[in-house]
Structures are given as C-alpha cells and as structure tokens.
Amino acid sequence: MGASGHFFSRALPDRVAVGFRYREDDHFGIDARQDNRDFLGYRGNSCGGGYATVGDMTACLGALRRGDIVAPALVEALLTPPPGGLRDYGMGFIVRPLAPGRTLVGHGGGGPHSGIGGMSGTIRETGWAFSVLGNYDAHFTGAIADDIALLLARLA
C-alpha cells in the first residue's frame, strides 16, 4: 500500500483528493460544500483521515485472501462473527450473503458530514474484488459499492 497512509493534515502529499462536506447545520445541503481537512484533525487515524488509492485497497484484499498478510486460519477467525456479535460482521469485516452461494467480505467507512466515504470488498467464493472511494459523504460511495457487489456476486 505504497500510495496510502495517515498523513498530517497540513502536509498532504501531492495528488491527494480532499474531501468536501456540508456543514453539520446545513441539513438540506443548500450551501456550498467545505474542505474537510479541519474536520479530520491534525493527522489521520483509524477513525478517519486515512488516504488510499483504489488499487492499494483492492490489492490489500487480495493479499489478505491469499494469506500474504496473516495466516489463513487467522483470516477465517476475522471473518467469523463472534458469539453475541452482529450477524453480518466478523472482527472488523462485513460478512454478508449477497446471492445464492456468494458472500461479500469487506469494510467501509465515512459518515455524515465527513466529506469522505469508501467501501472495499471481495466476493469470497470467486475472488472478485472492488474498491469505491469518494470525497463526498459516505452514502454516495455506499450506494455505488452495493451495486458493484451485487453485480460481482452474480458473475460466474
């Protein structure tokens, strides 16, 4: 993931997409969107402000699937919903049936008024993978990612 990271908000590398958000008090999205760098804080972290490319995110899913990052047994543990946990969520990954014999495995992020959104996923049984990243609020990327996941789940 050479083109991805948690960078300092005032020292972003060249060619990074800046997020644009509506102010929290602009419920109808009437005013112009604002740059989200002040919203994200001093430096990105696991709760937001990470920068990545679609290629890096998708390659990471492939490396995880092949066992290049952690052992396959650990991957299986990460994809298994814990007792008492959410039905379609393992330990850090969405694990959701999409079509007969097809399961989406992935993770997304973003949120209302954040100016960012993303979802990366793979169809567990086939290995088809995708990533959708956006610099508007999460519902835009989520809707596109859902459609792509359904399309890939129906491919042989």
Side-chain angles (χ1 to χ4, degrees), residues 3-42:
S4 302
H6 293 114
F7 308 118
F8 291 99
S9 61
R10 298 289 177 217
L12 295 175
D14 292 338
R15 301 188 63 200
V16 217
V18 174
F20 292 94
R21 67 189 198 97
Y22 291 118
R23 287 187 338 270
E24 289 189 39
D25 62 348
D26 184 9
H27 302 292
F28 295 109
I30 296 169
D31 295 328
R33 291 178 181 263
Q34 308 175 313
D35 178 318
N36 76 341
R37 285 179 281 189
D38 289 336
F39 171 78
L40 296 175
Y42 177 68

PDB file of all heavy atoms in Angstrom, residues 3-42:
ATOM      1  N   ALA A   3       0.941   3.942  -1.773  1.00  0.00           N
ATOM      2  CA  ALA A   3       0.382   5.278  -2.013  1.00  0.00           C
ATOM      3  C   ALA A   3      -0.677   5.629  -0.968  1.00  0.00           C
ATOM      4  O   ALA A   3      -1.466   6.531  -1.171  1.00  0.00           O
ATOM      5  CB  ALA A   3      -0.220   5.336  -3.411  1.00  0.00           C
ATOM      6  N   SER A   4      -0.691   4.934   0.155  1.00  0.00           N
ATOM      7  CA  SER A   4      -1.717   5.137   1.170  1.00  0.00           C
ATOM      8  C   SER A   4      -1.078   5.459   2.507  1.00  0.00           C
ATOM      9  O   SER A   4       0.082   5.140   2.744  1.00  0.00           O
ATOM     10  CB  SER A   4      -2.564   3.865   1.314  1.00  0.00           C
ATOM     11  OG  SER A   4      -3.145   3.529   0.070  1.00  0.00           O
ATOM     12  N   GLY A   5      -1.831   6.097   3.388  1.00  0.00           N
ATOM     13  CA  GLY A   5      -1.293   6.370   4.715  1.00  0.00           C
ATOM     14  C   GLY A   5      -2.164   7.315   5.518  1.00  0.00           C
ATOM     15  O   GLY A   5      -3.219   7.771   5.065  1.00  0.00           O
ATOM     16  N   HIS A   6      -1.705   7.597   6.710  1.00  0.00           N
ATOM     17  CA  HIS A   6      -2.326   8.577   7.604  1.00  0.00           C
ATOM     18  C   HIS A   6      -1.383   9.776   7.656  1.00  0.00           C
ATOM     19  O   HIS A   6      -0.411   9.772   8.408  1.00  0.00           O
ATOM     20  CB  HIS A   6      -2.526   7.990   9.006  1.00  0.00           C
ATOM     21  CG  HIS A   6      -3.534   6.896   9.035  1.00  0.00           C
ATOM     22  ND1 HIS A   6      -3.221   5.598   9.321  1.00  0.00           N
ATOM     23  CD2 HIS A   6      -4.859   6.919   8.793  1.00  0.00           C
ATOM     24  CE1 HIS A   6      -4.305   4.865   9.274  1.00  0.00           C
ATOM     25  NE2 HIS A   6      -5.319   5.632   8.933  1.00  0.00           N
ATOM     26  N   PHE A   7      -1.675  10.762   6.849  1.00  0.00           N
ATOM     27  CA  PHE A   7      -0.778  11.897   6.687  1.00  0.00           C
ATOM     28  C   PHE A   7      -1.196  13.061   7.587  1.00  0.00           C
ATOM     29  O   PHE A   7      -2.336  13.139   8.023  1.00  0.00           O
ATOM     30  CB  PHE A   7      -0.776  12.353   5.225  1.00  0.00           C
ATOM     31  CG  PHE A   7      -0.504  11.233   4.256  1.00  0.00           C
ATOM     32  CD1 PHE A   7      -1.460  10.869   3.320  1.00  0.00           C
ATOM     33  CD2 PHE A   7       0.690  10.535   4.293  1.00  0.00           C
ATOM     34  CE1 PHE A   7      -1.224   9.834   2.434  1.00  0.00           C
ATOM     35  CE2 PHE A   7       0.933   9.494   3.403  1.00  0.00           C
ATOM     36  CZ  PHE A   7      -0.028   9.144   2.470  1.00  0.00           C
ATOM     37  N   PHE A   8      -0.256  13.960   7.836  1.00  0.00           N
ATOM     38  CA  PHE A   8      -0.571  15.177   8.583  1.00  0.00           C
ATOM     39  C   PHE A   8      -1.454  16.067   7.706  1.00  0.00           C
ATOM     40  O   PHE A   8      -1.183  16.238   6.520  1.00  0.00           O
ATOM     41  CB  PHE A   8       0.707  15.919   8.983  1.00  0.00           C
ATOM     42  CG  PHE A   8       1.505  15.186  10.021  1.00  0.00           C
ATOM     43  CD1 PHE A   8       2.606  14.422   9.651  1.00  0.00           C
ATOM     44  CD2 PHE A   8       1.148  15.243  11.358  1.00  0.00           C
ATOM     45  CE1 PHE A   8       3.339  13.737  10.605  1.00  0.00           C
ATOM     46  CE2 PHE A   8       1.875  14.559  12.321  1.00  0.00           C
ATOM     47  CZ  PHE A   8       2.972  13.800  11.938  1.00  0.00           C
ATOM     48  N   SER A   9      -2.502  16.624   8.282  1.00  0.00           N
ATOM     49  CA  SER A   9      -3.479  17.387   7.500  1.00  0.00           C
ATOM     50  C   SER A   9      -2.879  18.624   6.831  1.00  0.00           C
ATOM     51  O   SER A   9      -3.378  19.065   5.810  1.00  0.00           O
ATOM     52  CB  SER A   9      -4.673  17.779   8.371  1.00  0.00           C
ATOM     53  OG  SER A   9      -4.256  18.594   9.436  1.00  0.00           O
ATOM     54  N   ARG A  10      -1.839  19.170   7.386  1.00  0.00           N
ATOM     55  CA  ARG A  10      -1.216  20.367   6.789  1.00  0.00           C
ATOM     56  C   ARG A  10      -0.043  20.028   5.876  1.00  0.00           C
ATOM     57  O   ARG A  10       0.614  20.920   5.361  1.00  0.00           O
ATOM     58  CB  ARG A  10      -0.765  21.323   7.885  1.00  0.00           C
ATOM     59  CG  ARG A  10      -1.895  21.844   8.736  1.00  0.00           C
ATOM     60  CD  ARG A  10      -2.738  22.807   7.940  1.00  0.00           C
ATOM     61  NE  ARG A  10      -3.864  23.255   8.744  1.00  0.00           N
ATOM     62  CZ  ARG A  10      -5.063  23.480   8.283  1.00  0.00           C
ATOM     63  NH1 ARG A  10      -5.312  23.310   7.013  1.00  0.00           N
ATOM     64  NH2 ARG A  10      -6.025  23.880   9.067  1.00  0.00           N
ATOM     65  N   ALA A  11       0.245  18.750   5.683  1.00  0.00           N
ATOM     66  CA  ALA A  11       1.364  18.347   4.825  1.00  0.00           C
ATOM     67  C   ALA A  11       0.952  17.154   3.968  1.00  0.00           C
ATOM     68  O   ALA A  11       1.620  16.127   3.951  1.00  0.00           O
ATOM     69  CB  ALA A  11       2.578  18.006   5.684  1.00  0.00           C
ATOM     70  N   LEU A  12      -0.152  17.296   3.267  1.00  0.00           N
ATOM     71  CA  LEU A  12      -0.636  16.196   2.427  1.00  0.00           C
ATOM     72  C   LEU A  12       0.247  16.042   1.194  1.00  0.00           C
ATOM     73  O   LEU A  12       0.700  17.029   0.621  1.00  0.00           O
ATOM     74  CB  LEU A  12      -2.076  16.465   1.992  1.00  0.00           C
ATOM     75  CG  LEU A  12      -3.115  16.482   3.104  1.00  0.00           C
ATOM     76  CD1 LEU A  12      -4.477  16.879   2.548  1.00  0.00           C
ATOM     77  CD2 LEU A  12      -3.187  15.140   3.789  1.00  0.00           C
ATOM     78  N   PRO A  13       0.500  14.818   0.782  1.00  0.00           N
ATOM     79  CA  PRO A  13       1.277  14.600  -0.443  1.00  0.00           C
ATOM     80  C   PRO A  13       0.545  15.177  -1.661  1.00  0.00           C
ATOM     81  O   PRO A  13      -0.657  15.420  -1.613  1.00  0.00           O
ATOM     82  CB  PRO A  13       1.358  13.073  -0.553  1.00  0.00           C
ATOM     83  CG  PRO A  13       0.967  12.544   0.770  1.00  0.00           C
ATOM     84  CD  PRO A  13       0.104  13.573   1.409  1.00  0.00           C
ATOM     85  N   ASP A  14       1.285  15.357  -2.734  1.00  0.00           N
ATOM     86  CA  ASP A  14       0.673  15.802  -3.979  1.00  0.00           C
ATOM     87  C   ASP A  14      -0.369  14.787  -4.440  1.00  0.00           C
ATOM     88  O   ASP A  14      -0.273  13.601  -4.140  1.00  0.00           O
ATOM     89  CB  ASP A  14       1.734  15.947  -5.081  1.00  0.00           C
ATOM     90  CG  ASP A  14       2.688  17.101  -4.804  1.00  0.00           C
ATOM     91  OD1 ASP A  14       2.311  18.017  -4.048  1.00  0.00           O
ATOM     92  OD2 ASP A  14       3.815  17.066  -5.338  1.00  0.00           O
ATOM     93  N   ARG A  15      -1.334  15.263  -5.163  1.00  0.00           N
ATOM     94  CA  ARG A  15      -2.355  14.438  -5.804  1.00  0.00           C
ATOM     95  C   ARG A  15      -3.286  13.697  -4.844  1.00  0.00           C
ATOM     96  O   ARG A  15      -3.765  12.625  -5.144  1.00  0.00           O
ATOM     97  CB  ARG A  15      -1.708  13.450  -6.773  1.00  0.00           C
ATOM     98  CG  ARG A  15      -0.915  14.145  -7.867  1.00  0.00           C
ATOM     99  CD  ARG A  15      -0.441  13.206  -8.898  1.00  0.00           C
ATOM    100  NE  ARG A  15      -1.612  12.625  -9.549  1.00  0.00           N
ATOM    101  CZ  ARG A  15      -1.614  11.506 -10.226  1.00  0.00           C
ATOM    102  NH1 ARG A  15      -0.519  10.813 -10.347  1.00  0.00           N
ATOM    103  NH2 ARG A  15      -2.704  11.043 -10.788  1.00  0.00           N
ATOM    104  N   VAL A  16      -3.490  14.238  -3.655  1.00  0.00           N
ATOM    105  CA  VAL A  16      -4.462  13.615  -2.744  1.00  0.00           C
ATOM    106  C   VAL A  16      -5.806  14.291  -2.958  1.00  0.00           C
ATOM    107  O   VAL A  16      -5.883  15.496  -3.100  1.00  0.00           O
ATOM    108  CB  VAL A  16      -4.108  13.834  -1.274  1.00  0.00           C
ATOM    109  CG1 VAL A  16      -4.413  12.643  -0.435  1.00  0.00           C
ATOM    110  CG2 VAL A  16      -2.759  14.282  -1.018  1.00  0.00           C
ATOM    111  N   ALA A  17      -6.840  13.487  -2.968  1.00  0.00           N
ATOM    112  CA  ALA A  17      -8.193  14.031  -3.082  1.00  0.00           C
ATOM    113  C   ALA A  17      -8.619  14.558  -1.710  1.00  0.00           C
ATOM    114  O   ALA A  17      -8.512  13.862  -0.708  1.00  0.00           O
ATOM    115  CB  ALA A  17      -9.167  12.961  -3.552  1.00  0.00           C
ATOM    116  N   VAL A  18      -9.046  15.789  -1.684  1.00  0.00           N
ATOM    117  CA  VAL A  18      -9.536  16.393  -0.443  1.00  0.00           C
ATOM    118  C   VAL A  18     -11.038  16.143  -0.368  1.00  0.00           C
ATOM    119  O   VAL A  18     -11.744  16.233  -1.372  1.00  0.00           O
ATOM    120  CB  VAL A  18      -9.241  17.912  -0.439  1.00  0.00           C
ATOM    121  CG1 VAL A  18      -9.875  18.597   0.764  1.00  0.00           C
ATOM    122  CG2 VAL A  18      -7.742  18.151  -0.462  1.00  0.00           C
ATOM    123  N   GLY A  19     -11.518  15.819   0.814  1.00  0.00           N
ATOM    124  CA  GLY A  19     -12.944  15.602   0.995  1.00  0.00           C
ATOM    125  C   GLY A  19     -13.704  16.912   1.080  1.00  0.00           C
ATOM    126  O   GLY A  19     -13.170  17.927   1.523  1.00  0.00           O
ATOM    127  N   PHE A  20     -14.947  16.877   0.660  1.00  0.00           N
ATOM    128  CA  PHE A  20     -15.815  18.047   0.732  1.00  0.00           C
ATOM    129  C   PHE A  20     -17.109  17.658   1.421  1.00  0.00           C
ATOM    130  O   PHE A  20     -17.727  16.662   1.084  1.00  0.00           O
ATOM    131  CB  PHE A  20     -16.095  18.605  -0.667  1.00  0.00           C
ATOM    132  CG  PHE A  20     -14.867  19.192  -1.288  1.00  0.00           C
ATOM    133  CD1 PHE A  20     -14.073  18.430  -2.132  1.00  0.00           C
ATOM    134  CD2 PHE A  20     -14.479  20.485  -0.991  1.00  0.00           C
ATOM    135  CE1 PHE A  20     -12.922  18.955  -2.689  1.00  0.00           C
ATOM    136  CE2 PHE A  20     -13.320  21.021  -1.543  1.00  0.00           C
ATOM    137  CZ  PHE A  20     -12.547  20.255  -2.396  1.00  0.00           C
ATOM    138  N   ARG A  21     -17.501  18.443   2.391  1.00  0.00           N
ATOM    139  CA  ARG A  21     -18.659  18.119   3.207  1.00  0.00           C
ATOM    140  C   ARG A  21     -19.566  19.325   3.356  1.00  0.00           C
ATOM    141  O   ARG A  21     -19.145  20.456   3.166  1.00  0.00           O
ATOM    142  CB  ARG A  21     -18.210  17.636   4.579  1.00  0.00           C
ATOM    143  CG  ARG A  21     -17.538  18.740   5.398  1.00  0.00           C
ATOM    144  CD  ARG A  21     -16.905  18.184   6.659  1.00  0.00           C
ATOM    145  NE  ARG A  21     -16.651  19.223   7.621  1.00  0.00           N
ATOM    146  CZ  ARG A  21     -17.441  19.528   8.635  1.00  0.00           C
ATOM    147  NH1 ARG A  21     -18.540  18.860   8.832  1.00  0.00           N
ATOM    148  NH2 ARG A  21     -17.147  20.497   9.457  1.00  0.00           N
ATOM    149  N   TYR A  22     -20.809  19.042   3.730  1.00  0.00           N
ATOM    150  CA  TYR A  22     -21.720  20.108   4.118  1.00  0.00           C
ATOM    151  C   TYR A  22     -21.517  20.377   5.600  1.00  0.00           C
ATOM    152  O   TYR A  22     -21.195  19.468   6.369  1.00  0.00           O
ATOM    153  CB  TYR A  22     -23.182  19.688   3.882  1.00  0.00           C
ATOM    154  CG  TYR A  22     -23.554  19.569   2.431  1.00  0.00           C
ATOM    155  CD1 TYR A  22     -23.966  18.362   1.897  1.00  0.00           C
ATOM    156  CD2 TYR A  22     -23.507  20.674   1.591  1.00  0.00           C
ATOM    157  CE1 TYR A  22     -24.327  18.249   0.570  1.00  0.00           C
ATOM    158  CE2 TYR A  22     -23.850  20.570   0.256  1.00  0.00           C
ATOM    159  CZ  TYR A  22     -24.257  19.360  -0.249  1.00  0.00           C
ATOM    160  OH  TYR A  22     -24.598  19.261  -1.567  1.00  0.00           O
ATOM    161  N   ARG A  23     -21.706  21.606   5.999  1.00  0.00           N
ATOM    162  CA  ARG A  23     -21.657  21.924   7.427  1.00  0.00           C
ATOM    163  C   ARG A  23     -22.725  21.115   8.153  1.00  0.00           C
ATOM    164  O   ARG A  23     -23.774  20.801   7.592  1.00  0.00           O
ATOM    165  CB  ARG A  23     -21.924  23.415   7.670  1.00  0.00           C
ATOM    166  CG  ARG A  23     -20.812  24.334   7.290  1.00  0.00           C
ATOM    167  CD  ARG A  23     -21.117  25.778   7.722  1.00  0.00           C
ATOM    168  NE  ARG A  23     -22.519  26.079   7.935  1.00  0.00           N
ATOM    169  CZ  ARG A  23     -23.348  26.528   6.987  1.00  0.00           C
ATOM    170  NH1 ARG A  23     -22.900  26.720   5.763  1.00  0.00           N
ATOM    171  NH2 ARG A  23     -24.607  26.784   7.260  1.00  0.00           N
ATOM    172  N   GLU A  24     -22.485  20.798   9.415  1.00  0.00           N
ATOM    173  CA  GLU A  24     -23.442  19.986  10.175  1.00  0.00           C
ATOM    174  C   GLU A  24     -24.783  20.676  10.364  1.00  0.00           C
ATOM    175  O   GLU A  24     -25.803  20.008  10.527  1.00  0.00           O
ATOM    176  CB  GLU A  24     -22.844  19.598  11.519  1.00  0.00           C
ATOM    177  CG  GLU A  24     -21.743  18.568  11.338  1.00  0.00           C
ATOM    178  CD  GLU A  24     -21.263  17.985  12.639  1.00  0.00           C
ATOM    179  OE1 GLU A  24     -22.093  17.750  13.529  1.00  0.00           O
ATOM    180  OE2 GLU A  24     -20.055  17.756  12.739  1.00  0.00           O
ATOM    181  N   ASP A  25     -24.808  22.012  10.320  1.00  0.00           N
ATOM    182  CA  ASP A  25     -26.078  22.715  10.486  1.00  0.00           C
ATOM    183  C   ASP A  25     -26.767  22.994   9.142  1.00  0.00           C
ATOM    184  O   ASP A  25     -27.829  23.598   9.098  1.00  0.00           O
ATOM    185  CB  ASP A  25     -25.892  24.017  11.269  1.00  0.00           C
ATOM    186  CG  ASP A  25     -24.971  25.003  10.576  1.00  0.00           C
ATOM    187  OD1 ASP A  25     -24.289  24.635   9.598  1.00  0.00           O
ATOM    188  OD2 ASP A  25     -24.921  26.169  11.022  1.00  0.00           O
ATOM    189  N   ASP A  26     -26.187  22.517   8.044  1.00  0.00           N
ATOM    190  CA  ASP A  26     -26.778  22.676   6.709  1.00  0.00           C
ATOM    191  C   ASP A  26     -27.488  21.370   6.342  1.00  0.00           C
ATOM    192  O   ASP A  26     -27.034  20.593   5.519  1.00  0.00           O
ATOM    193  CB  ASP A  26     -25.683  23.012   5.698  1.00  0.00           C
ATOM    194  CG  ASP A  26     -26.225  23.293   4.309  1.00  0.00           C
ATOM    195  OD1 ASP A  26     -27.453  23.402   4.144  1.00  0.00           O
ATOM    196  OD2 ASP A  26     -25.401  23.375   3.373  1.00  0.00           O
ATOM    197  N   HIS A  27     -28.624  21.111   6.975  1.00  0.00           N
ATOM    198  CA  HIS A  27     -29.328  19.842   6.859  1.00  0.00           C
ATOM    199  C   HIS A  27     -29.834  19.533   5.447  1.00  0.00           C
ATOM    200  O   HIS A  27     -30.000  18.369   5.083  1.00  0.00           O
ATOM    201  CB  HIS A  27     -30.495  19.787   7.846  1.00  0.00           C
ATOM    202  CG  HIS A  27     -30.054  19.980   9.257  1.00  0.00           C
ATOM    203  ND1 HIS A  27     -29.284  19.066   9.928  1.00  0.00           N
ATOM    204  CD2 HIS A  27     -30.243  21.011  10.118  1.00  0.00           C
ATOM    205  CE1 HIS A  27     -29.029  19.506  11.140  1.00  0.00           C
ATOM    206  NE2 HIS A  27     -29.599  20.678  11.286  1.00  0.00           N
ATOM    207  N   PHE A  28     -30.082  20.555   4.659  1.00  0.00           N
ATOM    208  CA  PHE A  28     -30.611  20.339   3.309  1.00  0.00           C
ATOM    209  C   PHE A  28     -29.540  20.459   2.231  1.00  0.00           C
ATOM    210  O   PHE A  28     -29.835  20.337   1.049  1.00  0.00           O
ATOM    211  CB  PHE A  28     -31.751  21.315   3.025  1.00  0.00           C
ATOM    212  CG  PHE A  28     -32.950  21.089   3.910  1.00  0.00           C
ATOM    213  CD1 PHE A  28     -33.265  21.984   4.908  1.00  0.00           C
ATOM    214  CD2 PHE A  28     -33.732  19.953   3.751  1.00  0.00           C
ATOM    215  CE1 PHE A  28     -34.353  21.769   5.730  1.00  0.00           C
ATOM    216  CE2 PHE A  28     -34.816  19.728   4.573  1.00  0.00           C
ATOM    217  CZ  PHE A  28     -35.131  20.628   5.566  1.00  0.00           C
ATOM    218  N   GLY A  29     -28.303  20.692   2.617  1.00  0.00           N
ATOM    219  CA  GLY A  29     -27.228  20.805   1.639  1.00  0.00           C
ATOM    220  C   GLY A  29     -27.403  21.992   0.714  1.00  0.00           C
ATOM    221  O   GLY A  29     -27.162  21.892  -0.483  1.00  0.00           O
ATOM    222  N   ILE A  30     -27.804  23.128   1.279  1.00  0.00           N
ATOM    223  CA  ILE A  30     -28.063  24.320   0.474  1.00  0.00           C
ATOM    224  C   ILE A  30     -26.782  25.084   0.162  1.00  0.00           C
ATOM    225  O   ILE A  30     -26.562  25.523  -0.958  1.00  0.00           O
ATOM    226  CB  ILE A  30     -29.079  25.234   1.195  1.00  0.00           C
ATOM    227  CG1 ILE A  30     -30.419  24.499   1.309  1.00  0.00           C
ATOM    228  CG2 ILE A  30     -29.220  26.572   0.495  1.00  0.00           C
ATOM    229  CD1 ILE A  30     -31.420  25.165   2.220  1.00  0.00           C
ATOM    230  N   ASP A  31     -25.926  25.223   1.158  1.00  0.00           N
ATOM    231  CA  ASP A  31     -24.695  25.987   0.966  1.00  0.00           C
ATOM    232  C   ASP A  31     -23.638  25.141   0.258  1.00  0.00           C
ATOM    233  O   ASP A  31     -23.771  23.920   0.152  1.00  0.00           O
ATOM    234  CB  ASP A  31     -24.155  26.451   2.322  1.00  0.00           C
ATOM    235  CG  ASP A  31     -25.095  27.446   2.998  1.00  0.00           C
ATOM    236  OD1 ASP A  31     -25.767  28.215   2.282  1.00  0.00           O
ATOM    237  OD2 ASP A  31     -25.150  27.445   4.245  1.00  0.00           O
ATOM    238  N   ALA A  32     -22.598  25.781  -0.179  1.00  0.00           N
ATOM    239  CA  ALA A  32     -21.507  25.074  -0.856  1.00  0.00           C
ATOM    240  C   ALA A  32     -20.815  24.133   0.131  1.00  0.00           C
ATOM    241  O   ALA A  32     -20.780  24.386   1.332  1.00  0.00           O
ATOM    242  CB  ALA A  32     -20.502  26.078  -1.399  1.00  0.00           C
ATOM    243  N   ARG A  33     -20.279  23.057  -0.402  1.00  0.00           N
ATOM    244  CA  ARG A  33     -19.518  22.131   0.439  1.00  0.00           C
ATOM    245  C   ARG A  33     -18.222  22.798   0.884  1.00  0.00           C
ATOM    246  O   ARG A  33     -17.705  23.679   0.207  1.00  0.00           O
ATOM    247  CB  ARG A  33     -19.195  20.858  -0.339  1.00  0.00           C
ATOM    248  CG  ARG A  33     -20.416  20.010  -0.613  1.00  0.00           C
ATOM    249  CD  ARG A  33     -20.023  18.786  -1.436  1.00  0.00           C
ATOM    250  NE  ARG A  33     -21.165  17.966  -1.748  1.00  0.00           N
ATOM    251  CZ  ARG A  33     -21.524  16.887  -1.057  1.00  0.00           C
ATOM    252  NH1 ARG A  33     -20.829  16.509  -0.021  1.00  0.00           N
ATOM    253  NH2 ARG A  33     -22.572  16.189  -1.420  1.00  0.00           N
ATOM    254  N   GLN A  34     -17.694  22.309   2.009  1.00  0.00           N
ATOM    255  CA  GLN A  34     -16.450  22.843   2.563  1.00  0.00           C
ATOM    256  C   GLN A  34     -15.360  21.778   2.530  1.00  0.00           C
ATOM    257  O   GLN A  34     -15.653  20.584   2.672  1.00  0.00           O
ATOM    258  CB  GLN A  34     -16.631  23.226   4.037  1.00  0.00           C
ATOM    259  CG  GLN A  34     -17.782  24.105   4.340  1.00  0.00           C
ATOM    260  CD  GLN A  34     -17.909  24.290   5.859  1.00  0.00           C
ATOM    261  OE1 GLN A  34     -17.854  23.336   6.626  1.00  0.00           O
ATOM    262  NE2 GLN A  34     -18.077  25.526   6.268  1.00  0.00           N
ATOM    263  N   ASP A  35     -14.131  22.212   2.414  1.00  0.00           N
ATOM    264  CA  ASP A  35     -12.957  21.358   2.539  1.00  0.00           C
ATOM    265  C   ASP A  35     -13.026  20.681   3.922  1.00  0.00           C
ATOM    266  O   ASP A  35     -13.341  21.321   4.904  1.00  0.00           O
ATOM    267  CB  ASP A  35     -11.742  22.287   2.433  1.00  0.00           C
ATOM    268  CG  ASP A  35     -10.418  21.617   2.579  1.00  0.00           C
ATOM    269  OD1 ASP A  35     -10.261  20.745   3.455  1.00  0.00           O
ATOM    270  OD2 ASP A  35      -9.509  21.997   1.836  1.00  0.00           O
ATOM    271  N   ASN A  36     -12.746  19.398   4.001  1.00  0.00           N
ATOM    272  CA  ASN A  36     -12.913  18.688   5.278  1.00  0.00           C
ATOM    273  C   ASN A  36     -11.634  18.525   6.089  1.00  0.00           C
ATOM    274  O   ASN A  36     -11.626  17.848   7.103  1.00  0.00           O
ATOM    275  CB  ASN A  36     -13.543  17.314   5.043  1.00  0.00           C
ATOM    276  CG  ASN A  36     -12.571  16.305   4.481  1.00  0.00           C
ATOM    277  OD1 ASN A  36     -11.526  16.652   3.938  1.00  0.00           O
ATOM    278  ND2 ASN A  36     -12.912  15.042   4.586  1.00  0.00           N
ATOM    279  N   ARG A  37     -10.535  19.135   5.681  1.00  0.00           N
ATOM    280  CA  ARG A  37      -9.270  18.901   6.395  1.00  0.00           C
ATOM    281  C   ARG A  37      -9.312  19.334   7.852  1.00  0.00           C
ATOM    282  O   ARG A  37      -8.754  18.652   8.710  1.00  0.00           O
ATOM    283  CB  ARG A  37      -8.108  19.557   5.664  1.00  0.00           C
ATOM    284  CG  ARG A  37      -7.728  18.753   4.428  1.00  0.00           C
ATOM    285  CD  ARG A  37      -6.608  19.369   3.678  1.00  0.00           C
ATOM    286  NE  ARG A  37      -7.157  20.469   2.882  1.00  0.00           N
ATOM    287  CZ  ARG A  37      -6.480  21.120   1.964  1.00  0.00           C
ATOM    288  NH1 ARG A  37      -5.236  20.808   1.717  1.00  0.00           N
ATOM    289  NH2 ARG A  37      -7.043  22.077   1.284  1.00  0.00           N
ATOM    290  N   ASP A  38      -9.980  20.435   8.171  1.00  0.00           N
ATOM    291  CA  ASP A  38     -10.075  20.852   9.573  1.00  0.00           C
ATOM    292  C   ASP A  38     -10.934  19.880  10.371  1.00  0.00           C
ATOM    293  O   ASP A  38     -10.682  19.627  11.545  1.00  0.00           O
ATOM    294  CB  ASP A  38     -10.653  22.268   9.688  1.00  0.00           C
ATOM    295  CG  ASP A  38      -9.669  23.324   9.218  1.00  0.00           C
ATOM    296  OD1 ASP A  38      -8.452  23.055   9.239  1.00  0.00           O
ATOM    297  OD2 ASP A  38     -10.125  24.405   8.825  1.00  0.00           O
ATOM    298  N   PHE A  39     -11.942  19.323   9.747  1.00  0.00           N
ATOM    299  CA  PHE A  39     -12.822  18.354  10.396  1.00  0.00           C
ATOM    300  C   PHE A  39     -12.066  17.080  10.790  1.00  0.00           C
ATOM    301  O   PHE A  39     -12.332  16.470  11.816  1.00  0.00           O
ATOM    302  CB  PHE A  39     -13.985  18.017   9.447  1.00  0.00           C
ATOM    303  CG  PHE A  39     -14.856  16.886   9.891  1.00  0.00           C
ATOM    304  CD1 PHE A  39     -15.817  17.081  10.868  1.00  0.00           C
ATOM    305  CD2 PHE A  39     -14.729  15.629   9.333  1.00  0.00           C
ATOM    306  CE1 PHE A  39     -16.633  16.035  11.284  1.00  0.00           C
ATOM    307  CE2 PHE A  39     -15.542  14.582   9.736  1.00  0.00           C
ATOM    308  CZ  PHE A  39     -16.496  14.791  10.719  1.00  0.00           C
ATOM    309  N   LEU A  40     -11.102  16.666   9.956  1.00  0.00           N
ATOM    310  CA  LEU A  40     -10.401  15.407  10.185  1.00  0.00           C
ATOM    311  C   LEU A  40      -9.355  15.486  11.280  1.00  0.00           C
ATOM    312  O   LEU A  40      -8.937  14.472  11.809  1.00  0.00           O
ATOM    313  CB  LEU A  40      -9.744  14.933   8.883  1.00  0.00           C
ATOM    314  CG  LEU A  40     -10.716  14.592   7.766  1.00  0.00           C
ATOM    315  CD1 LEU A  40      -9.957  14.247   6.504  1.00  0.00           C
ATOM    316  CD2 LEU A  40     -11.624  13.453   8.180  1.00  0.00           C
ATOM    317  N   GLY A  41      -8.917  16.668  11.635  1.00  0.00           N
ATOM    318  CA  GLY A  41      -7.942  16.795  12.705  1.00  0.00           C
ATOM    319  C   GLY A  41      -6.517  16.885  12.210  1.00  0.00           C
ATOM    320  O   GLY A  41      -6.231  16.987  11.020  1.00  0.00           O
ATOM    321  N   TYR A  42      -5.617  16.806  13.155  1.00  0.00           N
ATOM    322  CA  TYR A  42      -4.189  17.016  12.934  1.00  0.00           C
ATOM    323  C   TYR A  42      -3.571  15.961  12.028  1.00  0.00           C
ATOM    324  O   TYR A  42      -2.775  16.254  11.156  1.00  0.00           O
ATOM    325  CB  TYR A  42      -3.507  17.029  14.305  1.00  0.00           C
ATOM    326  CG  TYR A  42      -2.015  17.164  14.279  1.00  0.00           C
ATOM    327  CD1 TYR A  42      -1.429  18.346  13.853  1.00  0.00           C
ATOM    328  CD2 TYR A  42      -1.199  16.126  14.686  1.00  0.00           C
ATOM    329  CE1 TYR A  42      -0.053  18.483  13.836  1.00  0.00           C
ATOM    330  CE2 TYR A  42       0.168  16.250  14.674  1.00  0.00           C
ATOM    331  CZ  TYR A  42       0.737  17.428  14.249  1.00  0.00           C
ATOM    332  OH  TYR A  42       2.089  17.562  14.233  1.00  0.00           O
TER     333      TYR A  42
END
